[in-house]
Amino acid sequence: MDLDMIPNFLDEQRGAAPVELQHVYMTFEDLWERKLWHQLTDALVDYFNRPDSATQRLALWKNFILSFGEKINQLKLVTLALLAVTQCNDDQERLSFLTSLVNRVNKPSSQDAFVYGTVALASVNLRLSNLDGARTELDRGEAILDGFDSVETVVHATFYRINADYYHAKHEFASYYRNALLFLACIDLKDLTKEERESRAYDLSVAALVSDSIYNFGELLLHPILDSLIGTPHAWLRDLLFAFNRGDLAAYDVLAGNISKNKLLDEHKVFLYQKISLAALTETVFRRPAHDRAMTFATISDETKVQPNEIEHLIMKALSLGLLRGSIDQVAEIARINWVQPKVLDMKQVDGMRVRLKGWDSSVNQLGNWIEGVGKDVWAA
């Protein structure tokens, strides 16, 4: 737009704006005339974040902001663009809008803004079911992010969120789990709506359960996002995760009736039973003191409630996954375990540790007393 026409344009927009927002346009014009670009950018961001500015965002972007876009912080320019693009008619229009934006900010001095825009472009490709296109944009953004010493948190948060969405669409559960947790680490949970928190907790829980490479849910169990499921119809999913963490087959049997409520969980029903059985095995080993971890198959079956004919295969699976270290005597049907993978403990498990430490302390005292009793002459010397 011709710069001489901008005052007339702002006047038209002021007349179209709600009465309580009309004074904002006078501020825009004043800051623009005085070339106070930083203050003008902040005023525009504040205005665009107001829901009642929605119908005017695209017009302001095309006829006002682009006239001085090169003069302002490019990351904030992309922020304004992402708020404006929500008013496009469809995703194809958004794709065209964002492609133009990404090309505009693709400069050595504004690579953070370029990544921010590129990730937004990947998001639109995801909505259009163009997974290959989304992956290309995400890889391009990730390569640049890896070279930064530091970058605004919003850029990382957006990258991890869209990357998680991509892996969710691809059913790559471990990668989704990791990226979703990284996204949550970059934001304040209060910035998410109640529905968003519940949805994220639900998807994370399902991913943790059906992934064939996640056997330790510690990060998720300790994260406040999981509490979003309390008091909802999905509260059973949180209980199920804690049952897995403590290897509680009895609790699993009680909660298993809910599995059919989720298609993915229902499809992985056999795998879930194997996974809870592995958790029961590692919990059985963990509860025992280090000097008492040579167990017969019968003992393991009795303590884990796993069928005797499944024990050997179960131990071999645990060893191959790195959940346990040790050896198996197939003839004598004895497993000798010397290490178990650490995990997050609930209060009952912590109390079990306390009891074991007290027992260890008592054993050390008894050993000390015995040495003192049989070695008096040595001590005296």
Side-chain angles (χ1 to χ4, degrees):
M1 174 178 277
D2 188 337
L3 295 181
D4 293 336
M5 298 297 294
I6 285 179
N8 291 335
F9 168 75
L10 291 176
D11 189 56
E12 290 173 4
Q13 292 298 308
R14 181 171 65 249
V19 175
E20 64 273 15
L21 294 180
Q22 290 183 358
H23 69 282
V24 176
Y25 284 86
M26 299 179 67
T27 301
F28 291 163
E29 184 173 356
D30 176 56
L31 294 173
W32 174 76
E33 289 178 345
R34 294 162 62 192
K35 296 182 171 58
L36 297 176
W37 307 123
H38 174 72
Q39 292 87 336
L40 177 56
T41 304
D42 287 346
L44 283 163
V45 171
D46 289 343
Y47 182 67
F48 273 37
N49 276 313
R50 295 181 63 112
D52 40 9
S53 73
T55 57
Q56 295 177 292
R57 292 174 194 165
L58 274 178
L60 282 169
W61 171 264
K62 295 175 182 176
N63 299 298
F64 182 49
I65 296 171
L66 286 181
S67 68
F68 57 86
E70 300 293 326
K71 299 180 176 67
I72 69 175
N73 180 292
Q74 297 298 282
L75 191 59
K76 289 187 177 180
L77 178 69
V78 174
T79 300
L80 288 167
L82 297 186
L83 291 167
V85 78
T86 60
Q87 301 309 302
C88 289
N89 293 323
D90 54 45
D91 281 331
Q92 285 296 343
E93 185 180 344
R94 291 186 185 94
L95 195 67
S96 176
F97 181 103
L98 290 172
T99 300
S100 174
L101 171 71
V102 166
N103 292 332
R104 177 182 291 274
V105 297
N106 187 11
K107 296 173 289 189
S109 60
S110 58
Q111 287 295 282
D112 54 346
F114 174 69
V115 172
Y116 198 17
T118 297
V119 171
L121 195 56
S123 178
V124 176
N125 275 310
L126 278 179
R127 289 201 296 274
L128 291 170
S129 299
N130 180 9
L131 297 184
D132 291 339
R135 188 68 261 164
T136 299
E137 301 298 342
L138 287 166
D139 287 343
R140 184 160 60 151
E142 185 173 21
I144 298 171
L145 274 177
D146 288 344
F148 284 141
D149 291 328
S150 63
V151 68
E152 291 288 338
T153 304
V154 67
V155 179
H156 265 134
T158 305
F159 171 78
Y160 290 131
R161 177 172 60 82
I162 305 304
N163 213 25
D165 290 346
Y166 168 81
Y167 287 121
H168 190 265
K170 293 280 286 184
H171 282 191
E172 295 184 21
F173 305 112
S175 295
Y176 167 78
Y177 180 84
R178 182 174 63 255
N179 279 274
L181 285 175
L182 285 169
F183 162 64
L184 293 175
C186 293
I187 65 167
D188 187 336
L189 283 184
K190 295 177 183 176
D191 294 336
L192 299 179
T193 65
K194 180 178 180 295
E195 291 73 21
E196 287 172 333
R197 291 195 298 271
E198 185 178 332
S199 174
R200 184 67 68 180
Y202 183 87
D203 289 341
L204 271 167
S205 299
V206 172
L209 289 168
V210 301
S211 170
D212 60 3
S213 60
I214 300 174
Y215 289 86
N216 189 334
F217 313 139
E219 287 181 278
L220 180 56
L221 295 178
L222 292 173
H223 202 290
I225 190 71
L226 204 56
D227 292 339
S228 304
L229 297 177
I230 296 175
T232 72
H234 309 307
W236 62 270
L237 198 51
R238 180 180 181 275
D239 296 336
L240 188 60
L241 278 173
F242 278 97
F244 267 78
N245 187 60
R246 61 180 183 269
D248 192 339
L249 274 167
Y252 174 80
D253 289 340
V254 172
L255 295 165
N258 294 291
I259 287 176
S260 59
K261 295 177 181 178
N262 179 278
K263 183 180 178 182
L264 271 173
L265 293 179
D266 197 42
E267 290 173 353
H268 289 78
K269 190 177 293 185
V270 174
F271 171 73
L272 288 175
Y273 180 76
Q274 293 172 346
K275 198 168 185 176
I276 188 71
S277 299
L278 285 167
L281 172 61
T282 57
E283 178 63 19
T284 296
V285 175
F286 178 77
R287 285 199 303 262
R288 287 174 168 264
H291 64 271
D292 187 25
R293 288 181 174 172
M295 296 174 286
T296 65
F297 289 5
T299 299
I300 295 172
S301 176
D302 183 57
E303 294 192 17
T304 62
K305 310 306 179 189
V306 175
Q307 295 299 314
N309 62 330
E310 299 175 2
I311 296 298
E312 183 176 347
H313 179 265
L314 186 67
I315 298 170
M316 292 173 65
K317 184 73 172 177
L319 292 171
S320 68
L321 289 169
L323 302 177
L324 301 174
R325 293 177 192 163
S327 60
I328 302 174
D329 184 335
Q330 292 174 305
V331 176
E333 295 191 337
I334 294 176
R336 295 180 175 86
I337 309 300
N338 52 46
W339 180 87
V340 59
Q341 185 185 74
K343 63 178 179 178
V344 171
L345 307 179
D346 60 22
M347 292 308 296
K348 184 177 179 180
Q349 291 167 317
V350 170
D351 187 61
M353 285 285 290
R354 181 186 64 82
V355 172
R356 284 168 53 190
L357 283 171
K358 285 182 67 176
W360 174 80
D361 181 62
S362 176
S363 298
V364 170
N365 284 332
Q366 289 176 8
L367 179 61
N369 292 333
W370 178 80
I371 291 174
E372 185 178 355
V374 301
K376 290 179 180 178
D377 293 339
V378 176
W379 299 124

